[in-house]
Amino acid sequence: RYYDFEIIGREEIEGRETVIVGYTWKDPGPLNSHELIEKRMSSDFKSGILRFRGRYWLDAESARMLRAENEATLEFNDTKEPLVAVRILYEYAPSSYGITTPKRIVVDLFLDSWREKDGARRLSRDCRITYEYGPFQRFSVTSKEEEKKTITGKEKPLQHD
């Protein structure tokens, strides 16, 4: 309903055959003042149209996600291709729980904006954040129940000061 999906290819990831599914957001919109992108861009870049797109690499046998890439792009009347403002790459690994779990997440922010001498708009990466995860573990919790006490009404009432 909100996105268009299509199979765009196949690729091998760590010895596993994957199906690559691409998506694009159907309803692009203007930047709003709550968006990090809008807060950081120079004024003539704030007229851009925000659109989301990405790709999912799904294991061809199990359909489990092995990788995902999500991008927030800006489109302008005077640019041929959308400019990538934010790219997030997710990599997943098998776990002992029979599901894939995050292995690494890389966030790239391309928020340094300028124009070339010929007027072409440009964005460059000004920040990269990387999260790395070890194997997920199951935690256990134990508790101990103490002896139950029954109130019979014969106890001494509480004293009030």
Side-chain angles (χ1 to χ4, degrees):
R1 177 175 160 165
Y2 297 106
Y3 294 91
D4 287 321
F5 292 90
E6 71 175 310
I7 295 174
I8 58 175
R10 291 181 168 267
E11 187 176 318
E12 191 173 296
I13 296 178
E14 297 184 14
R16 303 289 301 176
E17 181 71 20
T18 66
V19 174
I20 305 168
V21 177
Y23 75 88
T24 56
W25 190 27
K26 287 183 181 181
D27 298 318
L31 290 173
N32 67 53
S33 61
H34 302 303
E35 295 282 341
L36 172 65
I37 297 169
E38 196 274 342
K39 291 177 188 276
R40 293 281 311 275
M41 293 285 167
S42 62
S43 61
D44 78 333
F45 278 71
K46 293 181 181 184
S47 64
I49 300 297
L50 180 64
R51 184 183 296 271
F52 298 100
R53 67 183 184 190
R55 298 179 291 176
Y56 300 116
W57 285 258
L58 305 175
D59 185 293
E61 288 182 25
S62 68
R64 290 191 175 126
M65 191 168 315
L66 298 180
R67 181 183 293 163
E69 179 183 72
N70 299 325
E71 293 179 334
T73 64
L74 292 174
E75 297 177 359
F76 300 92
N77 292 336
D78 60 354
T79 56
K80 292 180 184 177
E81 296 291 323
L83 301 176
V84 176
V86 178
R87 179 180 295 130
I88 306 173
L89 175 66
Y90 303 85
E91 295 176 352
Y92 298 89
S95 71
S96 60
Y97 305 110
I99 60 172
T100 54
T101 55
K103 177 170 75 173
R104 187 165 78 126
I105 301 172
V106 179
V107 179
D108 287 316
L109 303 176
F110 300 87
L111 302 179
D112 188 12
S113 56
W114 78 96
R115 284 188 179 259
E116 297 281 354
K117 289 180 183 176
D118 65 359
R121 295 175 192 267
R122 297 285 183 249
L123 296 177
S124 65
R125 185 177 72 201
D126 64 344
C127 179
R128 172 175 270 182
I129 304 165
T130 303
Y131 305 93
E132 296 203 9
Y133 299 87
F136 277 58
Q137 300 176 6
R138 184 181 309 258
F139 294 95
S140 63
V141 177
T142 59
S143 64
K144 181 179 176 185
E145 187 175 327
E146 296 290 326
E147 176 185 337
K148 293 181 181 179
K149 293 185 178 183
T150 305
I151 299 175
T152 62
K154 297 179 183 176
E155 291 82 12
K156 188 175 180 181
L158 294 175
Q159 300 294 322
H160 296 285
D161 293 331

